[in-house]
Amino acid sequence: MSTHASSAAPADPLAALGSLPGVPDSVDSVRRAVDRVYGHRVMRRRGGEVTSEAALRGARGSAALSGADWALEEVRRRTDFRGGAEARTVGAALRLTAEAGQLLSIWRQSPLRVLARLHLVAAGGTGDDGAVGRPRLAGEPVDEPLIEARLPGADEVAGRLEGLAGLITAGSSAPALVSAAVVHGELLALRPFVSHNGLVARAAERIVLIGSGLDPKSICPAEVGHAEQGRAAYAAAFDRYLSGAPEGMAAWIAHCGRAVELGVRESTAVCEALQRGAA
């Protein structure tokens, strides 16, 4: 989706996406699923534990999509993520999940500042070359596993990031699922940083879902659902987004909706385990 403004563009382009064929059904299905898990009796007494477990599982899922498909118990057990590339990826995912909730108040006013912060956190505060925490410059390479689409140039990235930021700060009547899917998809399309773009895109999706009020306690980890649907399905759905065609956009939104529903299923299982005293 190009976020460049034009005189012919609707005042609320995200809201227009919400009326695409099939999208209202996806939105309704996600809303019902989220309401069910929030109504679980365990949430009244042990919601904090569910949130913590959802964060861990979401980070594991996001890392898996970026090439570090570790068992959940290994992620839970490890305390040092300074080893090889996979360990660093898992560590980055964990840090991003922890950071996302701290950035909600800034997101609506300064989304570009939040994205810069997310990249800095993902990179672990390293990067003496100055490439961390800012959009990439012309000629800088991008290290991004899985996504092989055309890489936009630095000027295009800057313009489209500004357009995306404008949509976020202006606000939208679009359902949370639609806004989250577009933010996720656009960041994947742009890959604005030299590294960790997939992790940052999924963290931004999480921020939108939380900040919109759809998932205020962050117990519906879409990252789990994205990983469960598989890397091939994720890449294929993203290709549909890149097409820019209405049916492609609707397919990507539906894919993101299914990811949230699978995240709900995961947290519902956590609730049931807590209720049985098994977790």
Side-chain angles (χ1 to χ4, degrees):
M1 174 185 180
S2 174
T3 53
H4 288 298
S6 75
S7 59
D12 190 351
L14 296 183
L17 295 176
S19 63
L20 291 175
V23 172
D25 291 339
S26 293
V27 169
D28 290 345
S29 182
V30 166
R31 177 78 267 177
R32 290 194 300 270
V34 171
D35 286 347
R36 283 195 300 271
V37 71
Y38 269 84
H40 198 287
R41 60 186 300 179
V42 166
M43 286 299 300
R44 293 195 295 270
R45 298 175 290 107
R46 305 178 70 177
E49 294 173 69
V50 180
T51 295
S52 295
E53 188 65 20
L56 183 72
R57 295 178 185 221
R60 192 216 73 82
S62 191
L65 287 170
S66 287
D69 192 0
W70 286 17
L72 179 63
E73 290 311 313
E74 177 66 9
V75 178
R76 194 191 308 279
R77 180 188 68 81
R78 286 282 286 268
T79 57
D80 185 355
F81 297 94
R82 294 174 297 177
E86 288 194 6
R88 293 193 297 273
T89 295
V90 175
L94 288 166
R95 291 191 299 272
L96 283 172
T97 301
E99 187 76 8
Q102 310 303 313
L103 299 172
L104 295 174
S105 62
I106 307 172
W107 175 253
R108 283 293 298 274
Q109 286 74 42
S110 186
L112 297 184
R113 179 180 165 196
V114 169
L115 293 174
R117 174 64 184 169
L118 289 174
H119 187 242
L120 184 67
V121 167
T126 62
D128 293 337
D129 60 0
V132 171
R134 62 151 174 80
R136 55 186 168 82
L137 304 177
E140 287 185 323
V142 173
D143 177 17
E144 184 53 48
L146 184 59
I147 303 303
E148 299 178 351
R150 180 190 72 86
L151 191 66
D155 289 343
E156 182 180 349
V157 167
R160 287 173 63 178
L161 277 178
E162 288 291 342
L164 181 64
L167 291 179
I168 294 165
T169 56
S172 174
S173 62
L177 172 63
V178 172
S179 297
V182 168
V183 167
H184 183 171
E186 191 70 359
L187 291 174
L188 278 185
L190 296 178
R191 281 149 287 160
F193 303 108
V194 297
S195 63
H196 303 300
N197 289 288
L199 294 175
V200 168
R202 291 184 289 275
E205 179 185 50
R206 172 182 284 267
I207 288 172
V208 175
L209 293 172
I210 299 169
S212 66
L214 177 65
D215 182 22
K217 295 183 179 179
S218 192
I219 61 168
C220 307
E223 305 96 324
V224 168
H226 286 304
E228 187 170 333
Q229 292 179 89
R231 299 179 84 200
Y234 182 75
F238 173 62
D239 283 343
R240 301 292 303 279
Y241 173 88
L242 282 179
S243 75
E247 60 272 21
M249 298 295 295
W252 170 250
I253 293 167
H255 183 87
C256 292
R258 180 59 178 157
V260 175
E261 291 186 66
L262 290 169
V264 167
R265 187 176 71 179
E266 188 86 354
S267 286
T268 300
V270 170
C271 288
E272 294 296 328
L274 289 170
Q275 186 167 283
R276 295 192 306 269

